[in-house]
Amino acid sequence: MQRLTDRSGWHHSSPETPGPGASSTEPITPPPVLKPEESKVDGLAFLGLSLSRKSDRGHPDSVTHQTAFDFNNVIDRDYEYLASTNDDGWLVGGGEPGPPQSYKLANKDSAHVEIMRIGTYRADWGGISEKDIVE
């Protein structure tokens, strides 16, 4: 059994080369970010421009922050050209409504353009405080 690590840090077992008595159901070791006591991840702080827009095809709690772009006109919600998306599905064009309209996780529209990535508000981790940004 080969043990593989993907870019997210998850360890997976590869069934291509199982050893004697090996199982392809070897437990997956979560990345340290899921263990707060072993992590220095403090979320992701950034300044950006929200492009979210409520849509009758999307999540009912989505809000409209702009009307110039209707992402439903450019995304392939019916998967005619794309095979699939991740569990979030489309987080633009109103987000994912969830069952029964969509088998994806229900999520509000989170379309945005990141203008400046701060990383963290914790100065002791190399970030900058929200107060310093405003001032």
Side-chain angles (χ1 to χ4, degrees), residues 28-42:
I28 296 174
T29 306
V33 72
L34 297 180
K35 299 177 184 175
E37 66 279 0
E38 296 179 23
S39 175
K40 279 198 160 189
V41 175
D42 187 41

Side-chain angles (χ1 to χ4, degrees), residues 12 21 33 35 47 51 60 62 64 69 77 82 90 98-99 103 111-112:
H12 305 273
V33 72
K35 299 177 184 175
L47 296 177
L51 298 174
S62 291
T64 295
F69 305 104
R77 279 196 187 270
L82 294 177
W90 299 108
Y103 64 92
H112 65 274

Side-chain angles (χ1 to χ4, degrees), residues 51-72:
L51 298 174
S52 71
R53 182 171 174 171
K54 189 173 180 98
S55 163
D56 60 351
R57 296 189 70 188
H59 193 278
D61 292 337
S62 291
V63 296
T64 295
H65 288 152
Q66 58 81 30
T67 57
F69 305 104
D70 184 353
F71 291 108
N72 281 312

Side-chain angles (χ1 to χ4, degrees), residues 18 25 56 70 101 124 126:
T25 59
D56 60 351
D70 184 353
Q101 294 93 350
D124 58 325

Side-chain angles (χ1 to χ4, degrees), residues 2-135:
Q2 282 184 319
R3 192 170 167 125
L4 306 172
T5 303
D6 68 16
R7 285 186 268 173
S8 69
W10 284 85
H11 301 291
H12 305 273
S13 299
S14 169
E16 298 172 6
T17 56
S23 166
S24 64
T25 59
E26 180 181 324
I28 296 174
T29 306
V33 72
L34 297 180
K35 299 177 184 175
E37 66 279 0
E38 296 179 23
S39 175
K40 279 198 160 189
V41 175
D42 187 41
L44 174 60
F46 65 92
L47 296 177
L49 175 65
S50 174
L51 298 174
S52 71
R53 182 171 174 171
K54 189 173 180 98
S55 163
D56 60 351
R57 296 189 70 188
H59 193 278
D61 292 337
S62 291
V63 296
T64 295
H65 288 152
Q66 58 81 30
T67 57
F69 305 104
D70 184 353
F71 291 108
N72 281 312
N73 292 332
V74 293
I75 61 176
D76 185 20
R77 279 196 187 270
D78 297 325
Y79 297 98
E80 184 177 347
Y81 302 102
L82 294 177
S84 68
T85 58
N86 66 4
D87 289 343
D88 294 330
W90 299 108
L91 296 182
V92 299
E96 282 292 341
Q101 294 93 350
S102 166
Y103 64 92
K104 302 288 183 165
L105 296 173
N107 278 309
K108 295 187 284 186
D109 189 323
S110 62
H112 65 274
V113 174
E114 201 171 292
I115 297 171
M116 182 176 90
R117 181 173 290 204
I118 298 161
T120 178
Y121 290 126
R122 293 189 56 165
D124 58 325
W125 287 2
I128 184 169
S129 73
E130 189 174 1
K131 179 182 173 212
D132 288 341
I133 293 169
V134 173
E135 289 176 353

